[in-house]
Amino acid sequence: MGSTSLEATPKRRHHLRELIGDEPWSRFWVVVSAFAVLVFTFGAIQIARLTMLSAYDEAAHLDYAWKVAHGQLPFPGSLLSPETLDSWSCRGQHNLTLPACGSAAGNGDYPARGENYLMHPPVFYAVSGAFARAVSALGIVDFADAARFASLIWLLAGMVVLYAALLVWRMPWKVAAPVVAIIPSIHMIFQSSTTVNNDASAVFAGGLAVYALGRALKDGRYGFLFPTAVTFVVASLKVLNAIPMIGVAGALIVAAALNRGSSEFPRIRQALFSAAGIVGATLLVNIGWNLVRSATKTPGWVSPNAGVNSRDITGLPFDEWVKTVFSGMTSIGYGYVRPDAHAEPDIAWTSLLSVILLVAPFVVLVVFREHDARWYIGAAAVGAMLALPASVQLQTYLASGGTSYFPGISMRYGLSTVPLLFAAASVVVHERRWTIAAWVTAGAAVVVLAYSSLFA
């Protein structure tokens, strides 16, 4: 095994090159351009073909983006805008019967009382909404399609950040590029990135987590500000986007504990402050935004979706919670499949990737040792997968006033952990010199993506 131990951590470099390790900028931009062609080619086809709104609350996400773009902040119980209702009716949604297009039906004639029930922070919607308003003003596409293109940009940004993160980990571009190119072929990620949904920011959030961990353990930069700021940003896009950073916090604490006797410990010890910043930023966004939402919601308002996904707790919540403690490790999830987007190869492909990606962190933990920086990629990934169900249950418990739990946690809620899994896989690929296999897999991913976009 090559030496990438914590004791061999290189000196800090104070120039632009440190952003992408030792990679030439010229080749970096060539690879990024290839990612852009991949994402926008198949993404544009998907958006053009599948015009109906997704059952994953796309109408509510669309309304949130539209209102923020027009200087409004929807509150729990606020009515969907007339523009959103019209778009919903005219586009349709395969699992719902909606009022006719152009009927100007009232909110009460729509599902969920025609209300916006989303509780997410507004940053994702502010960015996507501003982009969609500017693009739709050109008259080429409407606001909904422009907002969907914004989701594609989030996916591309995530792929670029993850690629840069793997370069910081000193992964050769011949390994990093094909590994990252596989990401859009994961059904749930591609579906979220071709609809209006804040899950489109998941790869961006996870890529930043991989970058933050590499910045600390490979470049020896254990500052408090960077991981704290990253966590605040990703949690402001979606609170559960902070899950991979929680995994990073755990990995840094473990690094400090297991390397106590090393000559590098004084710098490793600073990781504890980084971890404190990560946890603090997560709590600040979560608690702060919940307070804002509680203060602005309609008095006595109850979500129209209350009880749909949650169940009542009987006695203490531990029996209910323990049933889901390992649910973050079960599958990366094929998820909901809209009938107009069904592709049989996707099922087999996602199942195959699920096995490979979920095993990868544990392979890293077995193959490497705690004095090797790469070991902590596996530790961060496992920590994030364990943190996912705990975070979902805590959110549900607090939001319900301690009366409910969430019985069916899927990896859709933890899509931001997927880049950590890809980082672990890239470490194994590099160590075993499976570069050709990585390129063949990337080629197969493009074929699956093309089939899903063109023929499904």
Side-chain angles (χ1 to χ4, degrees), residues 5-14 215-224 252-253 255-257 259-260 262-275:
S5 67
L6 295 177
E7 287 79 8
T9 299
K11 294 181 180 180
R12 289 176 58 177
R13 295 165 297 163
H14 296 280
R215 188 175 184 269
L217 296 184
K218 291 298 293 182
D219 286 345
R221 306 184 70 176
Y222 305 110
F224 174 86
L252 292 177
I253 292 173
N259 292 275
R260 182 174 293 274
S262 76
S263 60
E264 296 296 311
F265 174 68
R267 290 202 296 170
I268 296 293
R269 185 173 58 186
Q270 296 172 19
L272 294 174
F273 294 99
S274 299

Side-chain angles (χ1 to χ4, degrees), residues 312-398:
D312 291 337
I313 293 173
T314 302
L316 296 176
F318 304 111
D319 287 344
E320 289 85 355
W321 288 356
V322 75
K323 292 186 294 187
T324 63
V325 70
F326 296 116
S327 57
M329 300 180 179
T330 55
S331 172
I332 60 173
Y334 187 70
Y336 153 80
V337 182
R338 45 195 297 176
D340 54 352
H342 186 66
E344 289 295 335
D346 272 356
I347 300 176
W349 181 251
T350 302
S351 299
L352 174 62
L353 286 181
S354 182
V355 173
I356 294 172
L357 292 174
L358 291 171
V359 168
F362 297 97
V363 173
V364 170
L365 293 177
V366 171
V367 171
F368 302 101
R369 295 295 178 264
E370 65 275 6
H371 61 271
D372 190 317
R374 294 172 293 183
W375 192 87
Y376 297 96
I377 295 178
V382 172
M385 289 189 288
L386 290 173
L388 170 62
S391 299
V392 172
Q393 296 296 11
L394 184 60
Q395 274 195 322
T396 304
Y397 185 78
L398 294 176

Side-chain angles (χ1 to χ4, degrees), residues 245-328:
M245 288 301 296
I246 296 297
V248 168
L252 292 177
I253 292 173
V254 172
L258 296 183
N259 292 275
R260 182 174 293 274
S262 76
S263 60
E264 296 296 311
F265 174 68
R267 290 202 296 170
I268 296 293
R269 185 173 58 186
Q270 296 172 19
L272 294 174
F273 294 99
S274 299
I278 290 169
V279 174
T282 303
L283 293 175
L284 177 63
V285 173
N286 194 11
I287 295 173
W289 186 246
N290 279 333
L291 290 174
V292 171
R293 283 325 221 178
S294 297
T296 58
K297 73 176 182 180
T298 303
W301 178 80
V302 176
S303 172
N305 292 331
V308 173
N309 295 314
S310 60
R311 299 290 183 270
D312 291 337
I313 293 173
T314 302
L316 296 176
F318 304 111
D319 287 344
E320 289 85 355
W321 288 356
V322 75
K323 292 186 294 187
T324 63
V325 70
F326 296 116
S327 57

Side-chain angles (χ1 to χ4, degrees), residues 43-328:
I45 294 171
Q46 186 90 334
I47 290 172
R49 287 182 61 246
L50 307 182
T51 59
M52 297 179 75
L53 296 190
S54 168
Y56 279 140
D57 307 313
E58 188 174 10
H61 288 287
L62 176 62
D63 181 70
Y64 202 150
W66 192 92
K67 284 180 176 174
V68 173
H70 290 81
Q72 306 172 42
L73 185 63
F75 54 88
S78 62
L79 298 178
L80 297 177
S81 65
E83 291 80 4
T84 299
L85 295 178
D86 187 60
S87 180
W88 199 4
S89 285
C90 295
R91 287 175 172 267
Q93 184 174 315
H94 82 89
N95 61 331
L96 295 175
T97 300
L98 299 169
C101 177
S103 64
N107 290 72
D109 296 321
Y110 286 84
R113 305 189 297 255
E115 295 177 354
N116 195 317
Y117 44 80
L118 297 180
M119 302 287 284
H120 299 296
V123 174
F124 172 86
Y125 305 97
V127 175
S128 297
F131 173 86
R133 184 176 183 182
V135 171
S136 61
L138 301 176
I140 302 173
V141 294
D142 63 8
F143 185 90
D145 278 344
R148 287 178 165 188
F149 273 102
S151 293
L152 283 177
I153 294 175
W154 282 108
L155 172 60
L156 176 61
M159 293 172 66
V160 173
V161 170
L162 179 58
Y163 179 60
L166 294 180
L167 295 177
V168 167
W169 278 97
R170 311 302 186 264
M171 290 293 125
W173 77 271
K174 292 180 181 180
V175 171
V179 167
V180 174
I182 296 169
I183 288 179
S185 70
I186 295 179
H187 176 79
M188 280 304 307
I189 288 179
F190 191 61
Q191 178 170 278
S192 299
S193 301
T194 52
T195 60
V196 187
N197 192 308
N198 60 352
D199 283 338
S201 64
V203 176
F204 178 71
L208 282 174
V210 178
Y211 193 96
L213 187 62
R215 188 175 184 269
L217 296 184
K218 291 298 293 182
D219 286 345
R221 306 184 70 176
Y222 305 110
F224 174 86
L225 183 60
F226 184 81
T228 302
V230 165
T231 306
F232 185 85
V233 169
V234 299
S236 296
L237 296 169
K238 181 177 181 177
V239 173
L240 288 179
N241 276 350
I243 293 298
M245 288 301 296
I246 296 297
V248 168
L252 292 177
I253 292 173
V254 172
L258 296 183
N259 292 275
R260 182 174 293 274
S262 76
S263 60
E264 296 296 311
F265 174 68
R267 290 202 296 170
I268 296 293
R269 185 173 58 186
Q270 296 172 19
L272 294 174
F273 294 99
S274 299
I278 290 169
V279 174
T282 303
L283 293 175
L284 177 63
V285 173
N286 194 11
I287 295 173
W289 186 246
N290 279 333
L291 290 174
V292 171
R293 283 325 221 178
S294 297
T296 58
K297 73 176 182 180
T298 303
W301 178 80
V302 176
S303 172
N305 292 331
V308 173
N309 295 314
S310 60
R311 299 290 183 270
D312 291 337
I313 293 173
T314 302
L316 296 176
F318 304 111
D319 287 344
E320 289 85 355
W321 288 356
V322 75
K323 292 186 294 187
T324 63
V325 70
F326 296 116
S327 57

